[in-house]
Amino acid sequence: MKVAIPTKNGRIDQQYSRATEFTVYEVEIELVQKKEIIPLGKTSVADFLTEQGINAVICGNIRSTARNILRMKRIELTYGVMGEADDVMIRYLSGERLGDIDENAYWRAGREGLE
């Protein structure tokens, strides 16, 4: 399984659509086998995730359009998460509930327009 987190200086980049790099974790049996920071380059985020064979994305703010694209690509999404990417990954692998699972959370809080 491959998990991608948009990062900036080791922390989750809160603006998914503006991410310039992703930290990609290769996971086997709930253990990180490999970690790599990959610049996005000129590729779109959706194409990047497909090319890298990503199975799950953990991020901060993400627009509903981007959420729908990930769903269509059958990529698991956990959003509304903040903090150090490595710490978040440990919490994710331990089964801790992360982020905001309410589909309308960003509309209600008025945060989606920030992206």
Side-chain angles (χ1 to χ4, degrees):
M1 177 168 129
K2 287 178 128 179
V3 179
I5 301 177
T7 54
K8 187 175 188 178
N9 300 321
R11 295 186 60 78
I12 293 179
D13 187 338
Q14 287 301 296
Q15 302 301 323
Y16 172 86
S17 65
R18 295 183 187 157
T20 58
E21 71 179 28
F22 280 79
T23 301
V24 176
Y25 299 86
E26 288 187 36
V27 177
E28 281 184 40
I29 312 170
E30 298 181 3
L31 295 172
V32 174
Q33 301 297 319
K34 182 179 177 185
K35 171 186 160 185
E36 187 175 7
I37 298 172
I38 305 173
L40 188 59
K42 296 184 185 210
T43 307
S44 73
V45 175
D47 289 342
F48 170 84
L49 297 173
T50 301
E51 290 167 8
Q52 294 295 320
I54 301 301
N55 306 100
V57 170
I58 301 171
C59 64
N61 296 332
I62 182 169
R63 292 178 182 232
S64 57
T65 305
R67 290 195 306 258
N68 290 335
I69 290 169
L70 293 178
R71 280 190 195 101
M72 287 179 7
K73 292 182 173 287
R74 300 187 187 277
I75 296 174
E76 175 188 323
L77 173 63
T78 304
Y79 63 94
V81 183
M82 297 187 308
E84 297 288 330
D86 289 346
D87 293 341
V88 167
M89 191 64 197
I90 290 168
R91 292 171 40 213
Y92 174 78
L93 292 175
S94 71
E96 184 177 325
R97 186 173 166 177
L98 300 172
D100 193 338
I101 60 168
D102 181 351
E103 284 296 313
N104 298 310
Y106 292 105
W107 286 112
R108 271 202 327 271
R111 292 182 283 186
E112 185 167 59
L114 295 174
E115 197 171 331

